[in-house]
Amino acid sequence: MHALCQHNIVLIVVDALRPDHLSCYGYRRETTPEIDRIAQEGCRFENVISQSSWTKPAVASLLSGTLPEMHGVKSITDVLIETDGYLPRLLKQVGYTTCCIQTNPFLGRESGFSQGFDCYRELFENGSGECKPRVPDVYAAAAEWLECCGSRPFFLYLHLLDTHNPYTPPDHLPSFGSTEQDRYDGEIRFIDSYIGLLRNLLIRKGWYEKTLLIITADHGEEFEEHGRRYHAKHLYQEVLRVPLIITAPGILTPGVRSSSLTRSIDIVPTILELAGLQPADTHQGSSVFPELNGCPVSQRPALSQIGSGKESNSIDLVSLICGEYKLIWNTCSQSSELYNLVLDPLEQHNLAEHEPAVVERLLPQIHDLLHQQKEDPVVQHRKRKEAPRIAVFEKEILQQLRGLGYID
């Protein structure tokens, strides 16, 4: 076991961050000089799939290492019930000091995301909902907490909202332009500068050489590639692909690039292996440790999901990426879309009618995965152990959700 033992763990999740808008992923603009530097110090994963296209189920999957059907967080009011496989709970049990500083109202205490955290800071703007909490506030809170976190190894989770619509980069930064994508890129550059500040702070305190640093996103963002804007409405690649950068100076081989299909649910098992800990029985992801040192692994199928079937007129989609093919299944209309991601990475040519044999091969795999989760004894035990709860949001939080475009 390649254990980091007493290493600190910093997990940065940037809301709605597309990897193809980061310069270290080949973007035409220099949006991320600081993240580029961090990527050179560790491993950059180029083909990472989130398990949902909006924050609440995506982060539940990321932090629990389980698919939406397993953790049950699929609608706005769902609550993440207590689970032993939740990353902060696991780390707290083995002696880590745990802290979350987050800015998305869907990740509030009322939705169950604070379990296992010694400190849970929610930086929400009250009022009209038109303003977002900004990365300087998150950085200031993180710096303050780091000053008094003590001598034990720590786990620090930061959730940054600046790149979520509406895009309002600060005026003092050089402007990329006035279009939505220009302003989106400006928000990325703004966040990048503060990630650089955090890296410098860890260096000044002598912690960087013993810190596992992970940078990723909950989901991507769409700019009308399929006729829509933003996210949470479908499961195309622009909203499912996320960046993933993992560094641990002195432990991991620097400058590694992995093109293997990876999932957000693989992040927790990877952290646990690096920390010398065993995964929980509930974890459905697998460690990507071999890729961290440049060793390819066999492809993993990637399942993603939005919708719960609870609300009328709700979107209920499941996608499966297996090899070169991706199948999107609409559980309401019982219709399918099929794409060859090697020949058609932008998903412009639906092959469902032309290659029915592939649909017939992949669709049962989706049914089996969903059925297995619903019938899994661990899932059934959790359902019996804790009655379902409904998250109730205060008026100010509802206003912010409206400002972010989640509710009418």
Side-chain angles (χ1 to χ4, degrees), residues 381-392:
H381 173 73
R382 289 167 66 244
K383 289 180 178 178
R384 290 192 297 268
K385 183 178 178 182
E386 183 172 335
R389 293 182 291 143
I390 296 176
V392 178

Side-chain angles (χ1 to χ4, degrees), residues 126-373:
N126 294 330
S128 66
E130 296 178 354
C131 297
K132 298 180 294 186
R134 307 295 290 185
V135 64
D137 300 322
V138 176
Y139 173 78
E144 179 184 2
W145 183 81
L146 288 170
E147 289 296 332
C148 57
C149 67
S151 58
R152 290 193 298 168
F154 61 80
F155 168 54
L156 175 61
Y157 169 45
L158 305 179
H159 192 100
L160 310 178
L161 197 64
D162 299 65
T163 40
H164 194 291
N165 65 290
Y167 317 119
T168 55
D171 294 336
H172 69 269
L173 288 180
S175 174
F176 288 116
S178 59
T179 69
E180 277 206 320
Q181 290 198 50
D182 293 335
R183 289 182 278 115
Y184 177 75
D185 289 346
E187 295 279 27
I188 294 173
R189 184 62 182 265
F190 188 41
I191 279 180
D192 179 78
S193 65
Y194 277 86
I195 289 176
L197 290 177
L198 179 63
R199 175 183 179 274
N200 292 339
L201 175 61
L202 293 172
I203 291 173
R204 290 199 308 271
K205 296 186 74 66
W207 289 338
Y208 193 66
E209 293 297 319
K210 53 181 180 180
T211 295
L212 171 63
L213 175 60
I214 305 105
I215 301 172
T216 189
D218 49 357
H219 53 76
E221 190 79 316
E222 185 190 4
F223 296 101
E224 299 189 5
E225 289 89 345
H226 288 88
R228 294 180 181 270
R229 296 157 63 203
Y230 313 136
H231 53 271
K233 302 300 183 183
H234 59 63
L235 296 176
Y236 297 116
Q237 292 296 85
E238 57 265 22
V239 290
L240 288 186
R241 282 194 66 228
V242 294
L244 177 60
I245 295 166
I246 301 178
T247 69
I251 302 294
L252 301 178
T253 304
V256 172
R257 297 168 57 183
S258 172
S259 59
S260 298
L261 182 62
T262 308
R263 294 107 21 124
S264 293
I265 56 172
D266 297 327
I267 293 174
V268 166
T270 302
I271 290 173
L272 294 177
E273 179 171 2
L274 288 168
L277 304 172
Q278 294 297 317
D281 292 338
T282 56
H283 289 157
Q284 297 173 295
S286 54
S287 172
V288 297
F289 180 79
E291 288 103 312
L292 293 171
N293 284 300
C295 300
V297 298
S298 58
Q299 294 288 323
R300 312 169 179 89
L303 187 81
S304 304
Q305 186 174 0
I306 55 172
S308 63
K310 295 179 181 179
E311 299 87 4
S312 61
N313 301 319
S314 66
I315 302 167
D316 209 349
L317 301 173
V318 184
S319 71
L320 178 69
I321 300 175
C322 188
E324 70 269 34
Y325 285 102
K326 176 180 178 180
L327 181 67
I328 302 175
W329 179 50
N330 188 317
T331 66
C332 297
S333 65
Q334 301 289 297
S335 60
S336 299
E337 297 176 48
L338 178 70
Y339 300 98
N340 186 316
L341 295 180
V342 175
L343 302 177
D344 180 26
L346 300 181
E347 298 166 287
Q348 298 298 307
H349 306 289
N350 182 2
L351 303 175
E353 293 185 1
H354 302 285
E355 300 191 37
V358 179
V359 176
E360 292 173 4
R361 174 171 59 87
L362 295 181
L363 190 55
Q365 295 185 43
I366 290 179
H367 286 299
D368 288 345
L369 285 168
L370 296 179
H371 180 74
Q372 288 171 11
Q373 292 176 75

